[in-house]
Amino acid sequence: MAEGTARNPGGFHGIYPMLYAFFDSEDRLDRAAMRRQVDACLAAGAHGIAALGLATEVSKLSEAERRQVMDWVCEDVAGRRPVALTIFAASVEEQVAMGRAARAAGADWLILQPPPVKGLPESDYIRFFGAVADKLDCPVAIQNAPDYIGIGLSTPGLLELNRQHPNVCIVKGEGPALTIRQVIEETEGRLAVFNGRGGLELPDNLRAGCVGLIPAPDCFDRQIAIFEAMRRGTAEGEREAEALYREILPAITFVMQSIDTLLCYGKRVAALRLGLSVHDRAPALAPSAFGLDCARRYAEALGPLDGSASSPGGAAAARRR
């Protein structure tokens, strides 16, 4: 991987699957499904676990449900891997409270989303993030995803935030590898950079200097193998990584047309692999028969996760929905 990875002072690295929120038929968070998802991620060698981001449909969850997810995830991981939890709230006070709750649950580091107010001067967002970070006793990442949430910081803004608040030391980006490379170069290794976008351009993101990726769980097992192959730093490893990437690229392209598409079909690909059912929480994109056929084809090509093919009725139920 690129030399930027070596300048990662916090040692952050790897593939952190961003968990989906699975609901039951009564529109409640499904405890067993959430545990199964965590167990499968750990069994497949995830370097860490992330939750409460866009793939977790955090904006559809109540505060009590967000706290429930924090508790469940940290309980199920039980210290076996680092846990990164996204903090979603409108005010400094609310983000601090949720951040402290995440730390109390067992989170190792936190990802701050910007307040849901667009069009403010960048200095306002810097002050907001800084005020939250100052009251948290852990490494803090900034979710910099203007294409998905409409708000983002410039590279000088990220650097200024890091200078004023050193525990802001990670960026959770959502952009092309070319853009991410520029961020890495301009921040001179002072910030560890993860990318997302479902794992698009994964090998090139690692060549660009990303310390890892935070994708949804659809094909995270192959993404872990890609990361480890690239990590070897050999021509053979790169060839292996590129072959694995070509294998999963059609599925990533299918689900990453939009966040709504990811939540509709990406979740179903993961559910089919896990032997789970999907119950959408409104508002949600309704799946089409053609889309379900595509999801099934990709899930079958990827294969079951942690023996999910033998789960009684699970795969069949996910196909029907």
Side-chain angles (χ1 to χ4, degrees):
M1 290 185 280
E3 68 279 3
T5 306
R7 299 195 301 271
N8 171 18
F12 304 100
H13 72 280
I15 305 298
Y16 279 61
M18 177 61 73
L19 303 180
Y20 285 117
F22 283 101
F23 303 99
D24 65 18
S25 60
E26 302 299 319
D27 199 38
R28 300 167 302 196
L29 285 166
D30 187 325
R31 177 68 181 106
M34 296 298 288
R35 179 184 288 121
R36 181 167 183 77
Q37 187 178 200
V38 170
D39 287 346
C41 290
L42 295 176
H47 302 91
I49 301 293
L52 294 174
L54 297 177
T56 322
E57 299 173 77
V58 64
S59 64
K60 298 181 187 179
L61 304 179
S62 68
E63 179 180 332
E65 287 174 323
R66 296 197 297 275
R67 289 175 180 262
Q68 185 71 83
V69 170
M70 291 176 181
D71 290 340
W72 286 351
V73 171
C74 292
E75 176 186 338
D76 293 342
V77 174
R80 290 175 287 174
R81 297 287 188 278
V83 172
L85 296 178
T86 300
I87 303 303
F88 168 87
S91 70
V92 168
E93 294 74 19
E94 290 171 314
Q95 287 215 1
V96 169
M98 293 301 289
R100 288 174 173 170
R103 287 287 287 155
D108 296 278
W109 51 280
L110 305 176
I111 304 168
L112 305 185
Q113 283 193 354
V117 181
K118 298 178 183 179
L120 298 178
E122 183 175 57
S123 58
D124 286 6
Y125 296 114
I126 292 173
R127 280 194 294 271
F128 180 96
F129 286 133
V132 177
D134 281 349
K135 295 184 181 297
L136 298 174
D137 62 345
C138 65
V140 170
I142 302 302
Q143 180 156 14
N144 215 37
D147 290 343
Y148 292 146
I149 58 181
I151 301 169
L153 297 184
S154 66
T155 303
L158 290 167
L159 275 172
E160 184 62 24
L161 193 53
N162 171 259
R163 288 190 190 100
Q164 295 182 23
H165 314 276
N167 63 323
V168 179
C169 56
I170 312 164
V171 176
K172 200 285 187 178
E174 298 281 358
L178 288 170
T179 302
I180 293 296
R181 173 64 179 184
Q182 184 175 355
V183 170
I184 291 168
E185 289 177 336
E186 293 177 358
T187 54
E188 300 176 343
R190 292 177 57 179
L191 294 154
V193 179
F194 287 86
N195 205 358
R197 300 177 76 220
L200 284 170
E201 302 179 286
L202 175 50
D204 281 341
N205 274 293
L206 298 176
R207 294 184 182 106
C210 282
V211 300
L213 260 76
I214 305 179
D218 324 347
C219 47
F220 77 91
D221 50 335
R222 304 298 202 286
Q223 291 163 333
I224 291 167
I226 290 168
F227 181 90
E228 293 297 344
M230 292 287 290
R231 198 180 194 183
R232 298 204 298 267
T234 64
E236 180 185 0
E238 290 211 14
R239 287 193 294 271
E240 180 182 329
E242 290 290 355
L244 286 166
Y245 180 65
R246 287 192 295 272
E247 178 185 329
I248 62 175
L249 182 56
I252 297 173
T253 303
F254 170 62
V255 303
M256 286 304 299
Q257 298 301 312
S258 68
I259 296 298
D260 286 343
T261 306
L262 175 69
L263 296 176
C264 178
Y265 295 112
K267 186 190 288 191
R268 283 171 167 82
V269 171
L272 284 160
R273 300 191 68 201
L274 289 163
L276 298 173
S277 297
V278 174
H279 301 274
D280 293 315
R281 173 170 283 188
L285 178 68
S288 68
F290 175 72
L292 291 173
D293 285 344
C294 291
R296 182 173 59 251
R297 175 163 39 86
Y298 289 124
E300 288 175 349
L302 289 165
L305 282 166
D306 194 25
S308 63
S310 62
S311 297
R319 286 191 197 102
R320 289 195 298 267
R321 296 183 180 278

